[in-house]
Amino acid sequence: LADGAEVRRIQLSQRGGNAVWIGGMDFSPDGKRLAFASRDRKVRVVDLASGAIIFENAPELPSIGSLSYSPLGDRIVSAGPDQACMWDASSGKLLTQLAGLKGRVSCVRWSPAGNGILICGEGFVRMWDASPSPGRVGFSGHTSWVFGMNQSRVRPVVATCAGDYTVRLWDRSSGRELARANIPADRARTVRFSPDDTRLYVAANDGWVYVLDAATLDCVQQFSVSDRELFNLHLSPNGDLLVTGGYGRKIHVMDTQTGHEVLRIDDFKQGVEDLVVDDTFSRVFAVGNGNDVRWYSLVNGAMLGSLRCDGRAIGLALAPDQIHLIIATHDGYIESWHIDNSKRQMRLEAHH
């Protein structure tokens, strides 16, 4: 730019004796590469120092009219009539196609944060979500219903349990199976990583809790909790205690080191199909009494409060503020309750 002299020329092969039209181009954020799209339906990336083509792909798509690098330089978006695509900027692999684009395109740009793609064209301006991992990853392998899953907070892995006697560990990005454990119970209901990510706790329909090595899934411990099926399981913040419940109509608090029961709450008319604990592991909220939801101290088992829904309560979630309880009822409603005064604040018809 100092003197206007040409410093490099990139020559493209001609198509049918005619020059290939360039539909759009953009520099990588570090200025080392140039990406450009052409009317021969190709996206090319060139190293500016050597002139070498890093990749050249030929998607089966209409001509490309505009192109743009993401702010981090890891992705490229190209757009043309009725289509827009996102590419891996290093390999040229197609990551995803942006759905719903109609008409001719004049310009495509990324948002400064790299989380949005803006496309303008024939009478429209539209924005798409551009999260770094578009689309979805599947975990394929279980041969029966998958009842539980949990993500590690430390590693990019997911654990699942199912009705096929197995617990499995998966790579979160690729969906590849990393490890598998066979357990005696034909149906495992819940799986949880320990806070330090060294153990995996599994609650099963034989009333046992199985403790697995979180990397290899080797069974390192197992203890009997109930003679009936267990449903849910939660761990204390330091992992020394767990709380679980099920068809035995009881809540059990267990020492994870010894497998011994340290507290039992026997106050239910039906199976404890769901329970949640607060962040400090001082209270447990549970269904199992028809329309009533009750909560108890995890120190001494005393009942601390209750509320009554219009329908039978079957599912629970504690809001991040720790003062609102979200309840699902069997008649298809979602209710929000304030724990301090046991007053309902909202009731939504979620399902018919």
Side-chain angles (χ1 to χ4, degrees):
L1 291 176
D3 56 11
E6 180 180 273
V7 295
R8 182 168 296 282
R9 177 179 298 184
I10 301 169
Q11 184 67 48
L12 301 180
S13 58
Q14 295 188 339
R15 183 185 180 193
N18 299 315
V20 176
W21 284 43
I22 303 299
M25 64 178 64
D26 194 19
F27 286 100
S28 62
D30 61 7
K32 295 180 179 180
R33 295 181 175 184
L34 177 69
F36 54 92
S38 55
R39 295 292 178 86
D40 62 351
R41 308 180 188 180
K42 292 186 178 182
V43 175
R44 297 175 175 88
V45 174
V46 175
D47 181 270
L48 290 175
S50 64
I53 294 179
I54 305 300
F55 71 78
E56 177 183 273
N57 58 21
E60 295 298 322
L61 297 169
S63 60
I64 299 169
S66 186
L67 176 147
S68 180
Y69 256 108
S70 68
L72 293 178
D74 58 338
R75 291 168 292 166
I76 297 169
V77 63
S78 63
D82 301 326
Q83 56 81 24
C85 297
M86 191 187 303
W87 313 89
D88 183 284
S90 297
S91 66
K93 177 184 177 182
L94 176 65
L95 299 176
T96 189
Q97 289 184 249
L98 308 185
L101 182 62
K102 298 294 182 183
R104 288 185 287 182
V105 171
S106 59
C107 184
V108 56
R109 291 289 183 270
W110 290 79
S111 65
N115 59 358
I117 295 173
L118 191 69
I119 298 178
C120 57
E122 197 172 22
F124 67 87
V125 177
R126 299 182 63 183
M127 177 173 279
W128 278 261
D129 175 71
S131 55
S133 299
R136 60 185 181 182
V137 175
F139 308 123
S140 178
H142 281 297
T143 58
S144 184
W145 288 90
V146 178
F147 291 105
M149 66 173 294
N150 194 220
Q151 293 190 64
S152 167
R153 297 183 179 182
V154 179
R155 297 171 294 148
V157 296
V158 175
T160 59
C161 58
D164 59 1
Y165 294 91
T166 69
V167 177
R168 308 191 189 206
L169 193 68
W170 312 85
D171 180 87
R172 193 174 62 197
S173 300
S174 66
R176 182 170 61 91
E177 183 177 318
L178 303 174
R180 180 189 306 185
N182 293 293
I183 60 173
D186 66 339
R187 186 166 63 242
R189 299 301 300 246
T190 302
V191 59
R192 302 279 184 197
F193 284 98
S194 62
D196 64 2
D197 198 50
T198 63
R199 294 290 184 262
L200 200 60
Y201 291 83
V202 183
N205 70 329
D206 59 359
W208 286 67
V209 170
Y210 297 90
V211 187
L212 312 179
D213 182 281
T216 64
L217 297 193
D218 293 332
C219 186
V220 296
Q221 186 184 9
Q222 60 189 59
F223 46 85
S224 177
V225 177
S226 172
D227 59 355
R228 304 290 300 276
E229 182 170 7
L230 299 176
F231 278 95
N232 214 330
L233 180 152
H234 291 278
L235 292 159
S236 61
N238 61 8
D240 62 333
L241 297 172
L242 68 82
V243 58
T244 185
Y247 275 148
R249 303 183 183 183
K250 300 176 183 67
I251 289 177
H252 308 267
V253 181
M254 312 294 293
D255 184 301
T256 58
Q257 294 298 315
T258 65
H260 295 157
E261 184 179 81
V262 298
L263 180 67
R264 178 182 296 185
I265 302 172
D266 188 357
D267 188 35
F268 301 94
K269 299 176 182 177
Q270 300 158 338
V272 183
E273 295 184 9
D274 200 15
L275 57 85
V276 294
V277 297
D278 62 8
D279 287 345
T280 60
F281 205 74
S282 60
R283 297 173 296 173
V284 58
F285 302 78
V287 302
N289 282 296
N291 295 20
D292 292 349
V293 174
R294 300 175 184 176
W295 51 100
Y296 305 85
S297 167
L298 282 172
V299 177
N300 56 24
M303 190 172 78
L304 303 176
S306 66
L307 55 86
R308 187 170 181 80
C309 303
D310 288 349
R312 182 169 66 88
I314 58 173
L316 298 174
L318 188 61
D321 62 13
Q322 303 289 287
I323 60 173
H324 289 90
L325 192 64
I326 311 302
I327 304 169
T329 59
H330 83 290
D331 52 357
Y333 284 86
I334 301 293
E335 301 184 4
S336 174
W337 291 77
H338 196 289
I339 296 169
D340 292 343
N341 57 25
S342 295
K343 289 186 177 180
R344 187 172 67 194
Q345 298 185 316
M346 186 184 303
R347 187 171 191 253
L348 302 174
E349 186 176 9
H351 302 280
H352 295 286

